[in-house]
Amino acid sequence: MILVAEIIFSAIALILLFTALETILWWYTWHQQSQQTPTPTQPWQTALVFITGISDYTQESLDPEQIDFINKITQIYQFDQVISKPFPWQILTTKKLILSKVWKFLHLQTLPLWVMSLHNFWQTILILGLTNFYGKDIARCLFKHIGLPKSTPSQLIFLCGSTGTGMALASLPYLKQYLPSQFMIISYGGVFGLFEGLNDVDQFFHLLGNQDHWAKLAEILLINRGNHSTVFTKAQQENRLFIISTGEHGHLDYLSDRYSQTNLKTDQQLTVETILNLKILGLKSRLDKCP
């Protein structure tokens, strides 16, 4: 019995170590590539940046439900530039991500949920433990791809899910050094802590489903700590942070086509409709052009 317990403990430790090394190597790879010559961009006034928790470090395109979700948002709102690729918004050097190929060697073409969850877990650890370094790298990586706005006022809007919300917040203090813009975050099921970026965000819409236990657990562990004189409470008091219920969403349901018997709509329809009802600074609807 003791031997079995030791084997299980060793296996868990090995998996944790392996996924941690994967995450560090992934970070190092896009950090190095962000130092290269910036990608030519067109000047913009309103930009949309999609960033969510990264489950598969070798993924080159978004999931179909994510693509459908972004298409619905961009059909309604006007954006001069949209970044809608998996973070870090570029194809990584696969030679340096050789560790991630082990999963495919094990015939795990689609990563199990527990592997994807561990990838997100280690990203959260990096955000919390190395906020300054990690946030600065995210900001530099984004600026390399988006460039400067063509005029002021300009708006940079993050559309985030899960750990992507923490990544966006960690980058804001450094993005402010590059971009003279207003910063908005639309987060569905976001996982984040009391980052300095909460002082820099002009609007933060935190969409939360009643069944999203992961995001609620993160709120208990990372936000509801200490006294109430936190940047979180300050942002709420200044009407910059809004917590909005989206219905019965679980953590993985916000973009799904699962049909809700209560609302008679799909989960994604509920999320999109919630976003379309937000009053976002400077964001123009395409419908405004209609007579």
Side-chain angles (χ1 to χ4, degrees):
M1 195 70 179
I2 296 177
L3 179 59
V4 172
E6 289 179 347
I7 292 174
I8 293 174
F9 178 80
S10 299
I12 293 173
L14 183 62
I15 290 171
L16 287 172
L17 177 61
F18 183 83
T19 51
L21 290 174
E22 264 192 297
T23 304
I24 292 172
L25 185 58
W26 168 76
W27 175 22
Y28 174 78
T29 302
W30 60 260
H31 163 79
Q32 290 295 103
Q33 292 186 194
S34 68
Q35 310 300 312
Q36 299 170 6
T37 305
T39 305
T41 59
Q42 294 295 325
W44 51 274
Q45 186 168 355
T46 302
L48 179 69
V49 178
F50 181 75
I51 179 171
T52 187
I54 300 87
S55 303
D56 184 349
Y57 295 145
T58 61
Q59 186 174 358
E60 296 183 4
S61 62
L62 297 178
D63 295 332
E65 63 182 17
Q66 294 173 328
I67 295 172
D68 185 42
F69 173 60
I70 295 169
N71 286 340
K72 287 176 180 175
I73 299 299
T74 55
Q75 284 169 6
I76 299 296
Y77 290 122
Q78 299 179 53
F79 298 101
D80 304 307
Q81 188 169 164
V82 177
I83 296 183
S84 56
K85 295 180 290 185
F87 180 86
W89 308 300
Q90 61 187 331
I91 297 176
L92 297 178
T93 305
T94 54
K95 290 181 179 178
K96 293 184 178 179
L97 290 176
I98 192 169
L99 284 181
S100 292
K101 294 182 179 180
V102 170
W103 301 114
K104 292 184 178 180
F105 177 78
L106 296 173
H107 302 290
L108 297 175
Q109 298 298 326
T110 301
L111 292 181
L113 181 60
W114 59 269
V115 175
M116 295 190 290
S117 298
L118 284 174
H119 285 168
N120 281 278
F121 168 76
W122 288 117
Q123 292 162 40
T124 302
I125 294 300
L126 287 177
I127 297 170
L128 295 172
L130 297 170
T131 305
N132 293 338
F133 299 102
Y134 200 62
K136 186 179 295 184
D137 278 352
I138 295 168
R140 187 183 295 114
C141 184
L142 174 58
F143 183 67
K144 173 183 179 294
H145 287 274
I146 201 169
L148 290 168
K150 60 185 176 183
S151 62
T152 55
S154 60
Q155 295 81 32
L156 178 60
I157 300 170
F158 282 100
L159 188 56
C160 307
S162 192
T163 313
T165 304
M167 296 173 72
L169 280 171
S171 72
L172 286 191
Y174 307 101
L175 280 174
K176 289 196 72 171
Q177 300 174 17
Y178 301 121
L179 302 173
S181 303
Q182 293 176 314
F183 297 102
M184 293 79 163
I185 292 177
I186 302 171
S187 164
Y188 55 92
V191 175
F192 59 95
L194 299 174
F195 300 120
E196 183 183 344
L198 283 166
N199 288 323
D200 299 310
V201 66
D202 293 281
Q203 284 187 315
F204 182 3
F205 301 98
H206 181 40
L207 280 54
L208 188 62
N210 296 335
Q211 302 301 317
D212 190 345
H213 303 301
W214 284 111
K216 290 182 178 181
L217 178 62
E219 183 177 338
I220 293 171
L221 296 178
L222 304 178
I223 297 175
N224 294 337
R225 300 178 302 168
N227 57 42
H228 293 286
S229 60
T230 66
V231 290
F232 185 88
T233 305
K234 180 173 179 285
Q236 286 183 303
Q237 292 172 344
E238 294 174 350
N239 292 319
R240 293 184 294 108
L241 190 154
F242 308 90
I243 301 175
I244 302 166
S245 173
T246 59
E248 300 303 312
H249 287 116
H251 193 62
L252 301 178
D253 297 331
Y254 293 92
L255 308 187
S256 78
D257 59 1
R258 187 189 67 168
Y259 192 75
S260 170
Q261 295 292 341
T262 303
N263 303 97
L264 303 180
K265 296 177 181 177
T266 66
D267 283 330
Q268 186 175 124
Q269 284 177 314
L270 291 172
T271 302
V272 170
E273 288 181 4
T274 301
I275 293 174
L276 297 184
N277 287 323
L278 301 177
K279 296 181 179 180
I280 307 170
L281 293 172
L283 189 56
K284 299 178 181 178
S285 170
R286 296 185 187 277
L287 300 178
D288 293 341
K289 291 186 175 182
C290 296

